[in-house]
Amino acid sequence: MEPQIFQRIETAKAPDFGDILTRSFELFKKIWVEGMLHLLVTLAVILPLLAILYVPFITILIKAEANGGQPDFNPFLEYSVLWIAIYILAFLVIMIIIQTIAYAVTAHFFQVCKKADTGTPVEIGGYFVYLKNHFQKILVLSLAAFGITMLAAILCYLPIFYVMVPLQLMFVIFAFNPELSVSEIVKSGFKLGNKFWLIAFGLIIISSMIAQLGIILCGIGILATAFFTHLPMYYFYKETIGFDDDSPIDVLPNSF
């Protein structure tokens, strides 16, 4: 039997672009601190992983500095093809892990958006609850997103502008429908994205530009504004697919 979400997408009405942006600003005033906390938690986890990737480059720089008097010295030749292949594989694995963690924390943030939007008290914590309960599904979704992005890049990069909409929608759909299979989530993202692509694309571009305004505040302000990009996607989902009136706001346990 076809999931109900497909029927909702079929009957969905076009959301109002201006109304979504207005409501996003109003919601941002309520949860900008939560958005900043989600970003800081994400950075606290992924920065050590990124540091691991740069260890070989630090070694290369040290060797290059030690042999500064030899212009023909190439530190990259100090490593065998096998080691380079292992590094590339490790790089891809770590990037997928980073993406999985980021998606899991973002999924929790969408739940925070719903709570704040409906006037339900927002509790601190629970950032990794999706990672704990749905790790395998988020990992497969991350792999799917990575594969779709790579395929779009191979096709002269222009398709990236097309797939960026379904990719953004896939994870807000997952956040509120974790019971769906990976294939159903991907299909829903493309189905909804295709129907209202121009509106969603415009929201993504405008919200991304607004999120960068935090740089004006000596750069550190971006910590508060970065997660603004997710607010229009929350309202886009709400205005198109919507929520069940009798569904609980958060069926997930509140664990850190």
Side-chain angles (χ1 to χ4, degrees):
M1 183 177 178
E2 193 175 62
Q4 187 182 20
I5 190 172
F6 294 149
Q7 299 172 11
R8 291 187 175 186
I9 293 174
E10 287 290 342
T11 58
K13 296 180 180 179
D16 186 286
F17 186 93
D19 182 61
I20 287 179
L21 281 181
T22 300
R23 296 170 71 181
S24 296
F25 279 115
E26 292 301 318
L27 185 59
F28 176 74
K29 296 175 184 178
K30 300 178 182 178
I31 62 171
W32 69 269
V33 173
E34 271 295 326
M36 183 172 61
L37 289 175
H38 279 74
L39 177 61
L40 290 174
V41 167
T42 304
L43 292 176
V45 176
I46 69 175
L47 286 181
L49 294 174
L50 288 174
I52 294 174
L53 294 177
Y54 282 96
V55 170
F57 289 101
I58 295 175
T59 304
I60 288 173
L61 290 175
I62 293 175
K63 288 186 177 183
E65 183 68 23
N67 294 271
Q70 302 179 24
D72 59 337
F73 175 74
N74 188 342
F76 289 96
L77 297 179
E78 297 292 311
Y79 297 93
S80 66
V81 175
L82 176 61
W83 276 108
I84 294 176
I86 291 174
Y87 176 80
I88 293 175
L89 179 61
F91 176 86
L92 292 175
V93 170
I94 291 177
M95 291 307 295
I96 291 296
I97 293 174
I98 288 174
Q99 185 171 267
T100 300
I101 294 170
Y103 284 147
V105 176
T106 301
H108 179 265
F109 180 71
F110 282 125
Q111 286 286 349
V112 172
C113 290
K114 184 178 181 181
K115 286 185 174 182
D117 184 39
T118 55
T120 305
V122 178
E123 303 86 5
I124 300 296
Y127 305 109
F128 302 116
V129 67
Y130 277 91
L131 198 64
K132 176 182 177 182
N133 295 331
H134 305 285
F135 172 77
Q136 184 176 356
K137 185 171 291 186
I138 301 176
L139 178 61
V140 177
L141 272 174
S142 298
L143 289 170
F146 179 79
I148 292 170
T149 303
M150 291 303 297
L151 179 60
I154 291 172
L155 298 175
C156 301
Y157 280 94
L158 286 178
I160 287 182
F161 291 100
Y162 163 69
V163 301
M164 66 186 296
V165 170
L167 289 177
Q168 288 279 339
L169 294 174
M170 277 166 46
F171 288 93
V172 65
I173 290 173
F174 162 72
F176 297 115
N177 306 272
E179 74 283 355
L180 295 178
S181 67
V182 172
S183 61
E184 290 169 343
I185 293 171
V186 173
K187 184 178 178 181
S188 298
F190 275 89
K191 195 176 184 70
L192 182 59
N194 288 337
K195 188 167 185 178
F196 303 117
W197 186 88
L198 190 59
I199 297 174
F201 181 76
L203 288 171
I204 292 171
I205 296 300
I206 296 299
S207 62
S208 297
M209 294 173 62
I210 294 173
Q212 299 302 315
L213 293 178
I215 296 177
I216 298 175
L217 301 175
C218 303
I220 196 171
I222 198 170
L223 294 176
T225 60
F227 264 58
F228 179 85
T229 55
H230 303 302
L231 302 185
M233 288 298 98
Y234 162 75
Y235 280 114
F236 184 88
Y237 175 91
K238 181 181 179 180
E239 295 303 313
T240 53
I241 297 176
F243 306 107
D244 291 327
D245 292 336
D246 58 347
S247 63
I249 292 176
D250 189 358
V251 297
L252 300 173
N254 183 31
S255 61
F256 186 85

